[in-house]
Amino acid sequence: MKIEENVEWVYYIGDTSKFIKSKVGKWMYFFKSSADMEYIKKLCSDAVMKEVVKEAKYTSPNSPNLIIKGTGVCCFYLNCDDMEGHKKILSYFIQNNMISKTKAGKFWDISFKLDNQTRAMEYGEDFHSNIKLSNFIDLYTGEWLI
């Protein structure tokens, strides 16, 4: 695993040779404080070292988004058609309490986002995903559907 940094991101990179640019996307975990950085760093490095994912990144502690807005994100990458990979990542998210629950106790229906959607600036109401947590688990019970 190699680690790369710039002002915006800290990357943990394993063997990404099977990534196909048009298919690569990410599951995201949002955080609200630089106080969480050690935990965030552990999540990303652990996920790559244990081969849950081939690449992960998180908002750098030096990023203006984190410093000014107080928010950051971790991204866990895979090809969109890698069903076993989705299951590994989502299992990791559930085991590490990375998916919030609603007041009713069901999992929030998080979405997978293709990098092509990010490059096309699809955010907020402009972003629509065909791959969601509800494709994989029952949001109320957490039981796997696939």
Side-chain angles (χ1 to χ4, degrees):
M1 173 178 69
K2 67 180 177 177
I3 301 170
E4 296 179 2
E5 291 185 54
N6 61 40
V7 72
E8 294 290 333
W9 301 104
V10 178
Y11 297 86
Y12 293 83
I13 305 167
D15 178 10
T16 59
S17 63
K18 295 193 177 169
F19 280 179
I20 299 168
K21 187 175 181 177
S22 63
K23 293 183 177 185
V24 172
K26 64 255 180 202
W27 289 99
M28 297 172 280
Y29 170 67
F30 296 90
F31 59 96
K32 295 189 186 324
S33 167
S34 58
D36 298 330
M37 292 314 287
E38 282 307 309
Y39 180 64
I40 300 305
K41 179 179 177 178
K42 178 193 170 298
L43 289 173
C44 289
S45 64
D46 186 54
V48 175
M49 284 186 351
K50 291 181 177 175
E51 297 187 353
V52 173
V53 294
K54 302 297 183 190
E55 182 175 335
K57 73 178 183 182
Y58 64 88
T59 306
S60 167
N62 302 316
S63 168
N65 280 331
L66 193 57
I67 294 168
I68 297 168
K69 297 179 184 175
T71 60
V73 64
C74 298
C75 300
F76 295 77
Y77 289 91
L78 74 159
N79 288 326
C80 63
D81 58 355
D82 180 357
M83 290 305 137
E84 189 59 35
H86 286 293
K87 192 169 183 178
K88 283 170 62 175
I89 292 171
L90 294 171
S91 291
Y92 188 80
F93 273 41
I94 291 167
Q95 290 166 0
N96 288 285
N97 298 313
M98 296 167 67
I99 304 173
S100 298
K101 290 188 176 183
T102 66
K103 289 182 183 180
K106 78 174 192 173
F107 285 102
W108 189 257
D109 198 11
I110 63 173
S111 299
F112 176 83
K113 187 173 190 179
L114 289 165
D115 282 357
N116 285 341
Q117 291 176 295
T118 300
R119 285 189 283 278
M121 304 297 288
E122 292 179 24
Y123 295 98
E125 291 183 15
D126 294 330
F127 169 64
H128 302 284
S129 178
N130 293 325
I131 304 173
K132 296 181 170 245
L133 180 61
S134 58
N135 298 121
F136 298 93
I137 69 166
D138 179 302
L139 298 176
Y140 289 96
T141 66
E143 292 180 33
W144 289 97
L145 303 174
I146 60 169

